[in-house]
């Protein structure tokens, strides 16, 4: 399948990004991947990487360690909006501090997108408002990878609230996030009312037996026959 990707060390001028957008809108070069590799200087004359976009529809879009900035991310959002065959979006190891909500609106409304990976994006630095926007954007994506983000218990609370609404998400990666027992307790409570999640990865989060016990109670609450049926999760496998 077609893949549009860029990793650290490859550069493209912002003007070329705009040229791609214009080409997609009906220019002569629409549908072609132009071999532009150049440098974009910011106001401090520092090199700043931005990405090339394949105007022909791609099933995967992978951008790793590219730090596009607000303007570049807005163009990525526009690309996602117009690419109706996209199934996988990887945005690993990029700082997410003040990303336009348009990107996550595009993700949320996309008809074919099934996998979103935001690993190593420092999501733990986001305030709760932005984190909630992110979770609302990805909650109905089939596979979501949020590993290595130092999400901590406060972020786990936001994730738990999203899971309680029983979104269509089936696989969630949360390993290496310093969730601690408190964060795992939030997630364990959310799983009691979630019937769609099939797999959740929680290893390497600095937890103890307290977190493990909370998960055990979620998967088999044996206080009474009613709690076994009503307050136990029988659909999700947790890798702890």
């Amino acid at each position: 399948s077609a893949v549009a990707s860029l990793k650290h060390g490859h550069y493209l001028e912002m003007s070329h990004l705009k040229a791609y957008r214009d080409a997609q809108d009906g220019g002569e070069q629409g549908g072609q991947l132009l071999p532009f590799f150049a440098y974009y200087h910011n106001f401090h004359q520092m090199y700043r990487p931005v990405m090339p976009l394949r105007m022909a529809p791609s099933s995967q879009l992978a951008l790793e360690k590219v730090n596009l900035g607000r303007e570049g991310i807005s163009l990525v959002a526009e690309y996602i909006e117009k690419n109706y065959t996209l199934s996988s979006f990887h945005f690993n190891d990029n700082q997410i501090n003040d990303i336009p909500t348009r990107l996550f609106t595009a993700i949320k409304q996309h008809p074919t997108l099934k996998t979103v990976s935001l690993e190593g994006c420092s999501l733990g630095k986001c305030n709760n408002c932005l984190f909630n926007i992110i979770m609302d954007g990805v909650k109905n994506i089939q596979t979501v990878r949020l590993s290595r983000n130092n999400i901590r218990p406060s972020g786990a609370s936001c994730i738990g609230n999203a899971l309680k609404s029983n979104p269509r998400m089936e696989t969630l990666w949360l390993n290496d996030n310093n969730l601690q027992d408190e964060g795992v307790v939030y997630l364990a409570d959310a799983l009691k009312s979630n019937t769609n999640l099939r797999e959740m990865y929680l290893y390497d989060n600095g937890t103890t037996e307290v977190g493990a016990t909370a998960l055990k109670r979620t998967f088999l609450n044996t206080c009474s026959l009613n709690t076994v049926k009503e307050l136990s999760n029988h659909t999700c496998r947790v890798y702890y």
Side-chain angles (χ1 to χ4, degrees), residues 55-116:
M55 286 300 102
S58 301
S59 62
Q60 300 180 52
L61 177 60
L63 310 172
E64 300 180 0
K65 295 183 180 179
V66 290
N67 296 322
L68 302 179
R70 177 176 288 273
E71 185 179 5
I73 291 173
S74 293
L75 292 175
V76 172
E78 186 174 344
Y79 173 76
I80 292 175
E81 290 169 353
K82 295 182 178 181
N83 186 349
Y84 297 116
T85 65
L86 191 67
S87 63
S88 178
F89 174 51
H90 296 259
F91 198 65
N92 300 330
D93 298 305
N94 292 292
Q95 295 294 307
I96 297 181
N97 296 314
D98 187 27
I99 286 186
T101 57
R102 180 180 178 183
L103 174 62
F104 292 99
T105 299
I107 290 172
K108 179 179 180 179
Q109 297 177 351
H110 200 279
T112 62
L113 193 56
K114 295 181 178 179
T115 298
V116 171

Side-chain angles (χ1 to χ4, degrees), residues 82-155:
K82 295 182 178 181
N83 186 349
Y84 297 116
T85 65
L86 191 67
S87 63
S88 178
F89 174 51
H90 296 259
F91 198 65
N92 300 330
D93 298 305
N94 292 292
Q95 295 294 307
I96 297 181
N97 296 314
D98 187 27
I99 286 186
T101 57
R102 180 180 178 183
L103 174 62
F104 292 99
T105 299
I107 290 172
K108 179 179 180 179
Q109 297 177 351
H110 200 279
T112 62
L113 193 56
K114 295 181 178 179
T115 298
V116 171
S117 183
L118 302 172
E119 296 187 344
C121 292
S122 300
L123 298 183
K125 296 180 180 179
C126 297
N127 58 45
N128 284 353
C129 180
L130 178 56
F131 202 90
N132 285 329
I133 289 172
I134 294 171
M135 288 308 302
D136 183 60
V138 303
K139 68 180 183 180
N140 287 319
I141 300 297
Q142 184 173 320
T143 299
V144 178
R145 303 180 70 102
L146 301 177
S147 307
R148 300 184 292 106
N149 275 296
N150 195 30
I151 290 173
R152 299 172 294 178
S154 58

Side-chain angles (χ1 to χ4, degrees), residues 37-56:
F37 291 95
Y39 290 97
Y40 169 72
H41 294 265
N42 67 13
F43 292 110
H44 301 289
Q45 298 301 309
M46 299 291 289
Y47 292 119
R48 182 180 182 186
V50 292
M51 58 158 288
L53 291 179
R54 184 193 297 268
M55 286 300 102

Side-chain angles (χ1 to χ4, degrees), residues 10 12 29 51 65 83 88 100 110 115 118 153 173 175 177 179 187 214 220 228-229:
H10 292 230
L12 190 77
Q29 301 185 68
M51 58 158 288
K65 295 183 180 179
N83 186 349
S88 178
H110 200 279
T115 298
L118 302 172
W173 292 72
N175 56 290
N177 270 305
L179 299 180
L187 297 173
L220 188 59
V228 169
K229 180 179 180 181

